[in-house]
Amino acid sequence: MTTQALLDAVAGGVRVVDLGRRLTVGMPQSPNHPAYWHAHPRRHGDMVRADGGSAANDMISMGTHVGTHIDALSHVSQDGRMHDGLGMVELGVHTIEPMVRRGVLLDVPETLGVERLEAGQEVTVADLEATLEKQSIAIGAGDVVLVRSGWGQHFDAGDGDTFRGLSTGVPGVGEAGATWLAARSVHAVGADTIAFERLAPGAGHGLLPAHRVLLVEHGIYIVETMALEELAAAGIHEFVFVLSPLPLFGATGSPVRPLAVVGR
Amino acid sequence: MTTQALLDAVAGGVRVVDLGRRLTVGMPQSPNHPAYWHAHPRRHGDMVRADGGSAANDMISMGTHVGTHIDALSHVSQDGRMHDGLGMVELGVHTIEPMVRRGVLLDVPETLGVERLEAGQEVTVADLEATLEKQSIAIGAGDVVLVRSGWGQHFDAGDGDTFRGLSTGVPGVGEAGATWLAARSVHAVGADTIAFERLAPGAGHGLLPAHRVLLVEHGIYIVETMALEELAAAGIHEFVFVLSPLPLFGATGSPVRPLAVVGR
Amino acid sequence: MTTQALLDAVAGGVRVVDLGRRLTVGMPQSPNHPAYWHAHPRRHGDMVRADGGSAANDMISMGTHVGTHIDALSHVSQDGRMHDGLGMVELGVHTIEPMVRRGVLLDVPETLGVERLEAGQEVTVADLEATLEKQSIAIGAGDVVLVRSGWGQHFDAGDGDTFRGLSTGVPGVGEAGATWLAARSVHAVGADTIAFERLAPGAGHGLLPAHRVLLVEHGIYIVETMALEELAAAGIHEFVFVLSPLPLFGATGSPVRPLAVVGR
Amino acid sequence: MTTQALLDAVAGGVRVVDLGRRLTVGMPQSPNHPAYWHAHPRRHGDMVRADGGSAANDMISMGTHVGTHIDALSHVSQDGRMHDGLGMVELGVHTIEPMVRRGVLLDVPETLGVERLEAGQEVTVADLEATLEKQSIAIGAGDVVLVRSGWGQHFDAGDGDTFRGLSTGVPGVGEAGATWLAARSVHAVGADTIAFERLAPGAGHGLLPAHRVLLVEHGIYIVETMALEELAAAGIHEFVFVLSPLPLFGATGSPVRPLAVVGR
């Protein structure tokens, strides 16, 4: 395709679905990471120049695994070893190439005929395969696969404790599902939950087998706390996935605002 | 265009040019904004779980007008008034829609036959028009226009003091050029300098007439500290511009990693 | 007293009781304030100089009303007005003179014959007067008066939710007790609770009548989240109180580590 | 001495000289440490309660070696080893006991008959001994010894570049002076410079022999960026030194506001 054809497509109108959560002070996030805080060191009027102009600005403090974010391969190690035995700089979030790729949404609750999965419910391989079949879709090597659980509805509803599920659990893909995804050579995966994991009730955020399989064993990136309700409501299962992580040198993750681009 | 055509384009191969600067501790930035700092509260090995897994994470502190970033309309006010008389929430960076639009690079030094512009040199309306003519290109309403000065070479060379130009000045568009751009109803503008302004030698970063014209008077977003050398070297003057600012509620800007997407 | 006599006293040996809480990531604090976070941007070995030396350092992010801290008079306003109608700079924490003053501990649970007060229990004027009588002590103008509730035992025990008492309440002085203290022209007051207030069960941290009486109406400083158990266990009710707030220009509070100094 | 005698002394009136620098955004500090930043997440009026009350608060981001601060023993290592072979937790700033000790000011420029020492000038052992003799004073084991260079006048004058002296140098004690101080078994030392070191012109802040001698070899704490001009102007050479570092768990330093207390 030529640049002109791309430009014609954009000129003709594309739909851009926002898959990122708004960052607000107090939003639900894992207590393992520095909370998002924002303040204005300078507001309009604090210092006005002679010409009547003034500038307001910001001060931000945060972890990188807060809000919608991507995990770099350096985020997790197993038995003292990261992916391919590489180091924190080689696997830092600044090494993730911006993604403009085929994206696939696996809408599991739609397949199962429920509004959303239950707390602690595992998304099984059978669930993933049934969803592919119901959606008449296939996963290709290099795709980005987003697995919807519907759990993001709790984020939308402002129910942070349930969304985090530290005591009550969170639905998601377990070791088996992660292995199944890795076998399909996907480039990255994503979910509408705080972690791309099935978190058992009462187990906290301690055991992360899907992270091990994906990040450490297969070098597959993970995107978490995504906003997937609009995409699902529109019945969009296939799209151009765009994600451009901040190249934070040496960091283990980055806040992101991923996009799904489709024709009109 | 259909989603399938977009996907075919991506499958056929597109070139994605990264327009964002890497964020590193100590990178050149304006002293008016909190500097970018990064540390790991937890490194691998600090706390290993029973199953041999460990997670490393990050702590970030920064302003929003550091690294490659976008200015929200709330960033600047004139005579106590922001764009359309609206407020900090209505004009916050979280209100900026992700951009998937036609982008145009105006390669001014190439037009003028120089490697880069001089410190404090104004990019005049004549320069902008000569560049359009030389590139045989037109600006359309809704486009994103990136004005290259070549000044980003100082960033690449690690010469932060020259890049910032607090005492020596920085080349860029002045009030006349900003007015000319606004008359073309562009959606956003960008530059490879610390501010989308011509900064006079010795004048610091105090007077910002282009910001007033663009942000306050016309509601046109500004992207600063962009990496434009690769785009220019490849002779790419027209592209799909993609930018997805972090939706930091109420903030006056956001770090971003914009992309130029072209056919192969 | 001469400097020599003071030095002789110190040389002869004084006991210094630490009234400050250790600051740790995850310690209990009010969710209204940025949490305390700490990381090392550089650890030993990250960068070793040619001579074999290396330096480790820190990155801190926090509110000022976390850990043991002092409230500046600028912290609270009533009906749009702060103490004496003054402004944020005039009343900022940098204006608080270091304190070397008589300190008095009012050990209320000891007077009432309990280990600690109940959640939401108000320390009444009668309680304060009974404690003075039981301790055979008087409050003088300019003194610093510390009111112990025993609630700090929950901090010591690592029970942060109970210590904060957002839903279950916290014991403390109410409007009446604050008025009684103000009538004695004290210089500052302190408590072993998250706020120098009686917090009713289920009421959160929203209504702060003692803060209004003390900070706004009388210009009396407040110290919170103090460690008072050691002082009480030693039966020390009178001491030299030393407090040296960080002179954070324009801030509404400061983390502090107050001391009680007594003879041996 | 009894507590009553101490209280009588305080009641009789003591003079408290503030040895701490005000913390302001933009104050001179080492570029090796996160800069001090402050903003108000909430200002009065942003959120007013039903009863007319409102609370303003703060957000702070900083290193611990900024402003007047103390270096913990964990700050520096030599050949991979810290003091006594201990670790980051054992030597963290939270392990420093609050100090109420004899303090001594060595006013070197007064001895040498100059307003202040020259950039890069070393405070020699002969200078230290001449100052003791001129001041008719002796150093005792356990004392805190403050060495004035007069260089703090540049901080007072707002000349941050000269104060930091990255290219022009800073006067101070070198390896010989540090060894001399250590031989006197002092508890801590302090200076009115950015580092307790003689910094050679053009050498930056890289080589720190006095830090090695004091922190690593002898376990002697270092206080830096002190305000010593008032103390010197008053001719106070002996005093009760009070310092209460924030017990930041595991940190390598803490901002502090030390005090000199003398009789009236």
Side-chain angles (χ1 to χ4, degrees):
Chain A
M1 166 148 317
T2 63
T3 300
Q4 193 53 50
L6 282 173
L7 285 166
D8 288 347
V10 167
V14 290
R15 177 173 179 182
V16 178
V17 182
D18 189 349
L19 307 181
R21 294 287 181 189
R22 182 174 288 182
L23 288 103
T24 56
V25 173
M27 68 181 177
Q29 64 157 87
S30 162
N32 292 334
H33 301 286
Y36 172 75
W37 271 90
H38 167 252
H40 298 293
R42 195 176 290 171
R43 297 191 192 187
H44 292 298
D46 283 351
M47 206 176 86
V48 180
R49 294 188 302 262
D51 70 349
S54 98
N57 66 1
D58 306 286
M59 177 176 174
I60 299 280
S61 173
M62 63 191 301
T64 57
H65 301 266
V66 303
T68 306
H69 65 275
I70 189 167
D71 290 354
L73 300 185
S74 62
H75 181 40
V76 169
S77 69
Q78 182 64 30
D79 302 323
R81 195 172 175 278
M82 288 185 289
H83 181 64
D84 270 353
L86 296 172
M88 292 299 285
V89 169
E90 290 95 329
L91 300 177
V93 79
H94 63 283
T95 65
I96 304 181
E97 292 293 320
M99 299 178 198
V100 179
R101 288 173 174 271
R102 179 172 183 254
V104 169
L105 175 73
L106 297 186
D107 192 343
V108 180
E110 200 205 28
T111 298
L112 301 185
V114 297
E115 200 182 350
R116 61 174 170 268
L117 304 190
E118 299 294 323
Q121 180 176 349
E122 182 163 345
V123 174
T124 64
V125 169
D127 295 336
L128 296 170
E129 292 185 335
T131 303
L132 279 188
E133 186 169 347
K134 181 162 196 307
Q135 294 182 180
S136 303
I137 210 169
I139 296 176
D143 285 356
V144 176
V145 178
L146 311 182
V147 181
R148 178 176 174 258
S149 69
W151 203 248
Q153 295 161 12
H154 295 300
F155 192 105
D156 291 323
D159 182 359
D161 279 347
T162 302
F163 179 73
R164 293 191 294 176
L166 283 163
S167 58
T168 47
V170 174
V173 166
E175 180 164 3
T179 302
W180 182 89
L181 285 160
R184 271 135 199 86
S185 299
V186 298
H187 183 71
V189 299
D192 52 357
T193 47
I194 197 162
F196 191 90
E197 293 283 351
R198 175 251 172 178
L199 298 172
H205 293 178
L207 283 180
L208 305 171
H211 281 65
R212 171 176 47 75
V213 170
L214 295 165
L215 296 174
V216 182
E217 298 175 5
H218 292 92
I220 295 169
Y221 304 115
I222 297 174
V223 187
E224 295 167 325
T225 313
M226 300 184 82
L228 298 179
E229 294 303 291
E230 180 183 350
L231 202 62
I236 300 170
H237 299 149
E238 212 181 351
F239 42 88
V240 174
F241 180 79
V242 180
L243 182 146
S244 196
L246 295 179
L248 309 164
F249 182 74
T252 67
S254 170
V256 293
R257 188 184 193 178
L259 307 175
V261 183
V262 292
R264 279 196 190 273
Chain B
M1 166 150 314
T2 62
T3 300
Q4 193 54 50
L6 282 172
L7 285 167
D8 289 347
V10 167
V14 291
R15 176 174 180 182
V16 178
V17 182
D18 188 348
L19 308 180
R21 294 288 182 190
R22 181 175 289 182
L23 289 102
T24 56
V25 173
M27 68 182 177
Q29 64 157 86
S30 163
N32 292 334
H33 301 286
Y36 172 75
W37 272 89
H38 167 251
H40 298 293
R42 194 175 291 170
R43 297 193 191 185
H44 292 299
D46 283 352
M47 206 177 86
V48 180
R49 294 188 303 262
D51 69 350
S54 97
N57 66 1
D58 306 286
M59 177 177 175
I60 299 280
S61 173
M62 64 190 301
T64 57
H65 302 266
V66 303
T68 306
H69 65 274
I70 189 167
D71 289 355
L73 301 184
S74 63
H75 181 41
V76 169
S77 68
Q78 182 63 33
D79 303 323
R81 195 173 176 278
M82 287 184 288
H83 181 64
D84 269 354
L86 295 173
M88 292 299 285
V89 169
E90 290 96 330
L91 300 178
V93 79
H94 63 283
T95 65
I96 303 181
E97 293 293 322
M99 299 179 197
V100 180
R101 290 174 172 271
R102 178 174 184 254
V104 169
L105 175 73
L106 297 186
D107 191 342
V108 180
E110 200 205 29
T111 299
L112 301 185
V114 296
E115 200 183 350
R116 61 174 171 269
L117 305 190
E118 298 294 324
Q121 180 176 348
E122 182 163 346
V123 173
T124 65
V125 168
D127 294 336
L128 296 170
E129 292 185 335
T131 303
L132 280 187
E133 187 168 348
K134 181 159 196 311
Q135 296 182 180
S136 302
I137 209 168
I139 296 175
D143 285 357
V144 176
V145 178
L146 311 182
V147 181
R148 176 175 175 260
S149 69
W151 203 247
Q153 294 161 12
H154 294 300
F155 192 104
D156 290 324
D159 182 358
D161 280 346
T162 302
F163 180 73
R164 292 191 296 177
L166 284 163
S167 57
T168 47
V170 174
V173 166
E175 180 164 4
T179 302
W180 182 89
L181 285 160
R184 271 136 199 85
S185 299
V186 299
H187 184 71
V189 299
D192 53 357
T193 47
I194 196 162
F196 192 90
E197 294 282 352
R198 175 252 171 178
L199 298 172
H205 294 178
L207 284 179
L208 305 171
H211 280 66
R212 172 177 46 77
V213 169
L214 295 165
L215 296 174
V216 182
E217 297 175 5
H218 292 92
I220 296 168
Y221 305 114
I222 297 174
V223 187
E224 295 167 327
T225 313
M226 299 184 82
L228 299 179
E229 294 303 291
E230 179 183 350
L231 203 61
I236 300 171
H237 298 149
E238 213 181 350
F239 43 87
V240 175
F241 179 80
V242 179
L243 182 146
S244 196
L246 296 178
L248 308 165
F249 183 74
T252 68
S254 169
V256 293
R257 188 184 191 178
L259 307 175
V261 183
V262 291
R264 278 195 191 273
Chain C
M1 167 152 311
T2 62
T3 300
Q4 193 54 50
L6 282 172
L7 286 166
D8 289 346
V10 167
V14 290
R15 177 174 179 182
V16 178
V17 182
D18 189 348
L19 309 180
R21 294 288 182 189
R22 182 174 289 182
L23 288 103
T24 55
V25 172
M27 68 181 177
Q29 63 156 88
S30 163
N32 292 334
H33 302 287
Y36 172 75
W37 271 90
H38 167 251
H40 298 293
R42 194 175 292 170
R43 297 193 191 185
H44 291 299
D46 284 350
M47 206 176 86
V48 180
R49 294 189 302 262
D51 70 349
S54 97
N57 67 0
D58 307 286
M59 178 177 174
I60 299 280
S61 172
M62 65 191 300
T64 57
H65 301 266
V66 303
T68 306
H69 64 275
I70 189 167
D71 290 355
L73 301 184
S74 63
H75 180 41
V76 169
S77 69
Q78 182 64 30
D79 303 322
R81 196 172 175 279
M82 287 184 289
H83 181 64
D84 269 355
L86 296 172
M88 292 299 284
V89 169
E90 291 95 329
L91 299 177
V93 78
H94 62 283
T95 65
I96 303 181
E97 292 293 320
M99 299 178 197
V100 180
R101 290 174 171 271
R102 179 174 183 252
V104 169
L105 175 73
L106 298 186
D107 191 343
V108 179
E110 200 206 28
T111 299
L112 301 185
V114 297
E115 202 183 348
R116 61 174 172 268
L117 305 190
E118 299 293 325
Q121 180 176 348
E122 182 164 346
V123 173
T124 65
V125 168
D127 294 337
L128 296 170
E129 292 185 336
T131 303
L132 280 188
E133 187 168 347
K134 182 161 195 309
Q135 296 182 180
S136 303
I137 210 169
I139 296 175
D143 285 356
V144 176
V145 178
L146 311 181
V147 181
R148 176 175 174 260
S149 68
W151 203 248
Q153 294 161 13
H154 295 301
F155 191 105
D156 291 322
D159 182 359
D161 280 346
T162 302
F163 179 73
R164 292 191 296 178
L166 284 163
S167 57
T168 47
V170 173
V173 166
E175 179 164 5
T179 302
W180 182 89
L181 284 160
R184 271 137 199 86
S185 300
V186 298
H187 184 71
V189 298
D192 52 357
T193 46
I194 196 162
F196 192 90
E197 294 282 352
R198 174 252 172 177
L199 298 172
H205 293 178
L207 284 179
L208 304 170
H211 280 65
R212 171 178 46 75
V213 169
L214 295 165
L215 295 174
V216 182
E217 298 175 4
H218 292 92
I220 296 168
Y221 305 114
I222 296 174
V223 187
E224 295 167 327
T225 313
M226 300 184 81
L228 298 179
E229 294 304 291
E230 179 183 351
L231 202 61
I236 300 170
H237 299 149
E238 213 181 350
F239 43 87
V240 175
F241 179 80
V242 180
L243 183 146
S244 195
L246 295 178
L248 308 165
F249 183 75
T252 67
S254 169
V256 293
R257 188 183 193 180
L259 308 175
V261 183
V262 292
R264 280 197 189 270
Chain D
M1 165 146 320
T2 62
T3 300
Q4 193 54 51
L6 281 173
L7 286 167
D8 288 347
V10 166
V14 291
R15 177 174 179 180
V16 178
V17 181
D18 189 350
L19 307 181
R21 295 288 183 188
R22 181 175 289 181
L23 288 103
T24 55
V25 173
M27 68 181 177
Q29 63 158 88
S30 163
N32 292 334
H33 302 287
Y36 172 75
W37 271 89
H38 168 252
H40 298 293
R42 195 176 290 170
R43 297 192 191 186
H44 291 299
D46 283 350
M47 206 177 84
V48 180
R49 294 189 303 262
D51 71 349
S54 97
N57 66 1
D58 306 286
M59 177 177 175
I60 299 280
S61 173
M62 64 191 299
T64 57
H65 301 266
V66 304
T68 307
H69 64 275
I70 189 167
D71 289 355
L73 301 184
S74 62
H75 180 41
V76 169
S77 70
Q78 182 64 31
D79 302 323
R81 196 171 174 278
M82 288 185 288
H83 181 64
D84 269 354
L86 296 172
M88 292 299 284
V89 169
E90 290 95 329
L91 299 177
V93 79
H94 63 283
T95 65
I96 304 181
E97 293 293 320
M99 298 178 198
V100 180
R101 291 175 171 270
R102 179 173 183 253
V104 169
L105 175 73
L106 297 186
D107 191 343
V108 179
E110 200 205 28
T111 298
L112 301 185
V114 297
E115 201 182 349
R116 61 174 172 269
L117 305 190
E118 299 294 322
Q121 180 176 349
E122 182 164 346
V123 174
T124 64
V125 169
D127 294 337
L128 295 171
E129 292 185 336
T131 303
L132 279 188
E133 186 169 346
K134 182 161 196 309
Q135 294 181 181
S136 303
I137 210 169
I139 296 175
D143 285 356
V144 176
V145 178
L146 311 182
V147 181
R148 177 176 173 258
S149 68
W151 203 249
Q153 294 161 12
H154 295 300
F155 191 105
D156 291 323
D159 183 359
D161 280 346
T162 302
F163 180 72
R164 292 191 295 177
L166 284 164
S167 57
T168 47
V170 173
V173 166
E175 179 165 4
T179 303
W180 182 89
L181 284 160
R184 271 137 199 84
S185 300
V186 298
H187 184 71
V189 299
D192 53 356
T193 46
I194 197 163
F196 191 89
E197 293 283 352
R198 175 250 172 178
L199 298 172
H205 292 178
L207 284 180
L208 305 171
H211 280 65
R212 171 176 47 76
V213 170
L214 295 165
L215 296 174
V216 182
E217 297 174 5
H218 292 92
I220 297 168
Y221 305 116
I222 296 174
V223 187
E224 296 167 327
T225 313
M226 299 185 82
L228 299 179
E229 294 303 291
E230 180 183 350
L231 202 62
I236 300 170
H237 299 148
E238 213 181 350
F239 43 88
V240 174
F241 180 79
V242 180
L243 182 146
S244 196
L246 296 178
L248 308 165
F249 183 75
T252 67
S254 170
V256 293
R257 188 183 192 179
L259 307 175
V261 183
V262 292
R264 278 196 191 273

